Amino acid sequence: MDQLLWNLGGGDKPIGRLLAEERERRRISQGQLARSLGVSAANLSRIEHGADLRVSTLLEIARALGLEPMLVPKRAVPAVRSVIEELTAPETPQRARFT
């Protein structure tokens, strides 16, 4: 299956790239993650670069990175993205209001 089919809601990043970015954000090396999953670093690298990915492997990698893959009805994607953006946005200090 073409890796580009495995992307988030029609987004422009393949799932392998998204997994790699989350791994890097958490400062986990490919070797560390591969060992925790019981796979080779070479295999994990292939997945991150677009190799065929089984759903069971996606679930294992995502969960090891603290992610939970979900199927969302297409019509609900904008609402789900909005909630995720709100929850992950950096907090901005609120200005004090004097009344």
Side-chain angles (χ1 to χ4, degrees), residues 3-40:
Q3 183 70 5
L4 293 177
L5 296 176
W6 290 96
N7 61 33
L8 295 179
D12 58 353
K13 286 187 185 177
I15 193 72
R17 185 69 228 142
L18 293 169
L19 293 171
E21 287 175 2
E22 181 63 16
R23 177 185 55 73
E24 292 163 358
R25 188 184 72 74
R26 291 174 174 265
R27 294 184 170 92
I28 300 171
S29 72
Q30 278 186 338
Q32 291 169 317
L33 182 57
R35 278 189 298 281
S36 75
L37 296 167
V39 300
S40 71

Side-chain angles (χ1 to χ4, degrees), residues 60-80:
E60 286 180 44
I61 295 169
R63 289 177 177 159
L65 293 171
L67 303 172
E68 189 60 37
M70 294 182 177
L71 294 173
V72 176
K74 195 169 192 164
R75 62 182 164 67
V77 169
V80 170

